[in-house]
Amino acid sequence: MAVISGIDFRSIFSSFHEGVIVADAGGTILYYNDAQGRIDDLPPGEAIGKKIVEVYDLTEAQSTTMRCLHTGRPITHQPIFYRTRLGRFANVVSNVYPIHAEGRLVGAISFTKDYQMVEKIVSPSSGKKPEAPGNGTRYAFGDIVGSSPGLRKAVETAKMASASPSAVMIFGETGTGKEIIAQSIHNHGPMRPRTFIPINCAAIPENLLEAILFGTSRGAFTGAVDRPGLFEEAASGTLFLDEINAMPLSLQAKLLRVVQEKRIRRIGSPSETPVDVKLVSSLNEDPYRAISRGTLRKDLFYRLGVVVIAMPPLRERRGDLSALACHFIDRSSRELKKSVAAVSENVMHLFQGYPWPGNIRELAHVIEGAMNVIGDGECVIDLKHLPRHIQSFCPGYDRREPSAPFPPFSCEIPAPSPPLPTGQDRAPVPDDGPPMETLARAKDSVEKEAIRRALRASGGNVARAARMLGILSPQSLHYKLKKYGLNRKDFVPR
């Protein structure tokens, strides 16, 4: 196995950054390189000559190498969480290929990429995960998982912006990790010893939000007391304004003056107070689209978007799915005290084709949900453990009997269409007809009409309308009412 046609494969494999294991048909380790030894914290001499299941605390069903030897088929891009017999834990992405000679299976070769090394691609100086700084944050750059180009660019820009007092604006779809980036910016720069204060601008009514941001003075209104706002409480620290495009335009105008003058006036106070705070804001859409839709003031964008960071959606980070799945399996295994080691090939194939509208947050919930329903004797997340809305993305799902088990077929998901070139994100206008509506505008039209029907049916009751629409939080529906300029009072029966 070591020498074929005069080529010494040992000298090639020894220089690999990936771990390499060669095993015979019975699972005995014939070759084990130094990189695999670093992953497992095990000298190669203590692994060579032993069975796979003797070195690793895995059953034959859990081991990707043994599964490959049993099936004779390659196993690719397989995230797996395991422990060696010496107690070393490892999160890896595994690729195993069968070795055939003269038409029969004689062994398997495994290539292992360390998940911790994947993290270091993004954050090479992170080293050990820093202890919780006690400043209102939980995340730093070392917690960010992935190495896709879009994510790398976002992280690099965020790191450079962390050393500056300039305002930063982060935009991206829900669930892409905007607050993790915001907290990482705070913890990477000189603000780290200070306080990080987040506030969701979509979840608080306008009059209350103004008082929370700027503070109040005694006598300003009934029951008012002298109370500092978040701008004062975040002094010399970071104030994170989440979903800034949900803030009413009138309050955006007041915020603009604070950003320009670096002074705030409490509600009811005759005097102003200087403030020194780093502002980080976020939007769930492109800021230029928010400006065109009238939900973000252009002049405020120029002040808050000194540095603009775009967070890529998960569907544009397909290469990170293995590392992310491995990360969430590890986290859920510890929290739920399960011994799940991996996801099946079918599941990973499905993950690669699924559009992930909820992004990383949805992936985390899917993994956690699967971990809750997996049986005690099972160690691999399979299609049957996934939520039905994920299962139904597989071709042939709707042809099954409702009570039938999920068939063990490999989902063949069509490759996603390539993105449109720059400047072609608008629908083309045919020469012989009216302009076509963009997909985003069509979606907004359908959503607005659905909300109108629900409000009409509920008599203007927002909580009831939210339940009818399947929206978990009435606050989310309130945000959408603002977005579409709808007033629930218009639907109350007269």
Side-chain angles (χ1 to χ4, degrees):
M1 214 21 243
V3 179
I4 297 178
S5 301
I7 301 175
D8 185 359
F9 283 93
R10 285 176 298 186
S11 63
I12 298 174
F13 292 153
S14 63
S15 63
F16 273 31
H17 292 293
E18 294 184 351
V20 180
I21 298 176
V22 179
D24 65 16
T28 299
I29 297 174
L30 304 178
Y31 178 80
Y32 182 100
N33 73 346
D34 290 336
Q36 188 68 48
R38 287 191 293 273
I39 294 171
D40 297 334
D41 195 20
L42 188 69
E46 294 187 20
I48 295 174
K50 293 182 179 178
K51 297 279 189 181
I52 291 285
V53 292
E54 292 176 343
V55 175
Y56 299 104
D57 190 17
L58 296 170
T59 65
E60 291 196 2
Q62 292 172 318
S63 166
T64 50
T65 300
M66 296 308 298
R67 281 160 51 200
C68 176
L69 289 171
H70 286 314
T71 64
R73 293 181 300 171
I75 296 173
T76 57
H77 305 299
Q78 177 78 79
I80 183 169
F81 170 64
Y82 67 83
R83 184 173 62 180
T84 67
R85 291 293 181 185
L86 298 180
R88 162 80 171 180
F89 285 96
N91 285 332
V92 302
V93 178
S94 178
N95 291 274
V96 189
Y97 303 92
I99 302 172
H100 293 90
E102 298 179 354
R104 63 188 184 90
L105 182 69
V106 297
I109 182 167
S110 165
F111 299 95
T112 303
K113 181 176 291 187
D114 187 8
Y115 157 66
Q116 277 78 16
M117 291 302 296
V118 174
E119 277 190 314
K120 291 174 184 177
I121 293 173
V122 171
S123 186
S125 62
S126 61
K128 291 184 178 180
K129 180 179 176 179
E131 296 181 0
N135 58 4
T137 66
R138 292 185 296 158
Y139 301 106
F141 284 119
D143 296 303
I144 297 172
V145 179
S147 58
S148 63
L151 181 66
R152 287 164 68 107
K153 181 178 180 181
V155 170
E156 289 166 4
T157 303
K159 283 183 176 180
M160 290 187 286
S162 64
S164 163
S166 299
V168 178
M169 179 174 285
I170 308 164
F171 75 91
E173 297 174 9
T174 298
T176 51
K178 297 186 290 294
E179 183 162 357
I180 293 179
I181 288 287
Q183 292 188 19
S184 300
I185 289 172
H186 178 84
N187 284 325
H188 196 69
M191 306 289 183
R192 188 174 190 269
R194 306 290 183 177
T195 304
F196 175 90
I197 299 180
I199 182 168
N200 189 324
C201 301
I204 304 172
E206 178 179 359
N207 55 347
L208 182 57
L209 181 58
E210 182 178 1
I212 290 173
L213 286 174
F214 305 137
T216 58
S217 294
R218 184 183 300 275
F221 50 86
T222 303
V225 297
D226 287 322
R227 178 172 296 162
L230 296 186
F231 271 93
E232 291 179 76
E233 291 184 0
S236 300
T238 300
L239 180 59
F240 176 48
L241 302 172
D242 193 14
E243 295 195 52
I244 187 73
N245 53 326
M247 180 183 288
L249 295 178
S250 58
L251 189 52
Q252 289 187 29
K254 296 177 182 179
L255 177 61
L256 174 64
R257 187 177 185 282
V258 172
V259 177
Q260 288 176 330
E261 304 297 330
K262 299 188 183 299
R263 304 176 72 86
I264 61 102
R265 187 192 301 271
R266 294 186 186 180
I267 296 176
S269 173
S271 59
E272 293 185 331
T273 303
V275 290
D276 176 23
V277 62
K278 182 177 179 73
L279 284 172
V280 180
S281 58
S282 78
L283 300 89
N284 54 11
E285 63 179 339
D286 187 291
Y288 291 102
R289 183 167 186 264
I291 291 170
S292 67
R293 290 182 347 100
T295 57
L296 178 67
R297 289 178 60 110
K298 186 184 295 186
D299 46 8
L300 182 61
F301 167 65
Y302 294 145
R303 291 291 182 178
L304 294 183
V306 177
V307 178
V308 179
I309 299 172
M311 292 298 294
L314 186 53
R315 62 182 174 274
E316 296 176 7
R317 297 177 52 193
R318 305 272 178 197
D320 292 337
L321 274 167
S322 294
L324 286 165
C326 193
H327 169 73
F328 293 129
I329 288 172
D330 179 14
R331 188 177 75 180
S332 294
S333 291
R334 295 176 188 275
E335 291 176 354
L336 302 176
K337 296 180 173 57
K338 298 267 188 172
S339 57
V340 175
V343 299
S344 71
E345 292 175 79
N346 282 350
V347 168
M348 185 50 63
H349 191 98
L350 175 57
F351 282 2
Q352 289 290 341
Y354 182 68
W356 297 109
N359 293 293
I360 298 172
R361 187 178 296 139
E362 182 181 9
L363 175 62
H365 289 175
V366 167
I367 295 288
E368 184 178 354
M371 297 281 283
N372 273 276
V373 300
I374 197 168
D376 291 337
E378 298 175 288
C379 55
V380 176
I381 295 174
D382 209 343
L383 292 166
K384 64 184 180 182
H385 302 121
L386 301 180
R388 285 197 171 269
H389 76 280
I390 303 284
Q391 291 183 10
S392 63
F393 196 74
C394 278
Y397 171 82
D398 55 354
R399 296 192 294 272
R400 295 190 305 120
E401 292 294 327
S403 59
F406 206 90
F409 64 82
S410 179
C411 300
E412 298 193 8
I413 310 298
S417 301
L420 289 171
T422 304
Q424 295 186 20
D425 54 347
R426 295 184 180 179
V429 180
D431 295 334
D432 56 349
M436 294 175 65
E437 188 175 38
T438 64
L439 182 61
R441 192 171 299 169
K443 178 184 173 185
D444 286 349
S445 299
V446 172
E447 186 175 62
K448 181 177 180 179
E449 183 56 32
I451 293 172
R452 289 174 63 89
R453 288 199 302 268
L455 286 171
R456 204 175 293 121
S458 67
N461 185 310
V462 175
R464 194 182 308 156
R467 288 194 297 271
M468 294 169 64
L469 292 165
I471 298 175
L472 298 179
S473 168
Q475 289 178 340
S476 298
L477 184 53
H478 274 296
Y479 163 69
K480 291 181 182 295
L481 294 181
K482 289 182 182 178
K483 175 181 175 181
Y484 296 123
L486 298 174
N487 189 334
R488 71 165 193 86
K489 295 179 181 178
D490 295 338
F491 300 88
V492 176
R494 300 184 184 276

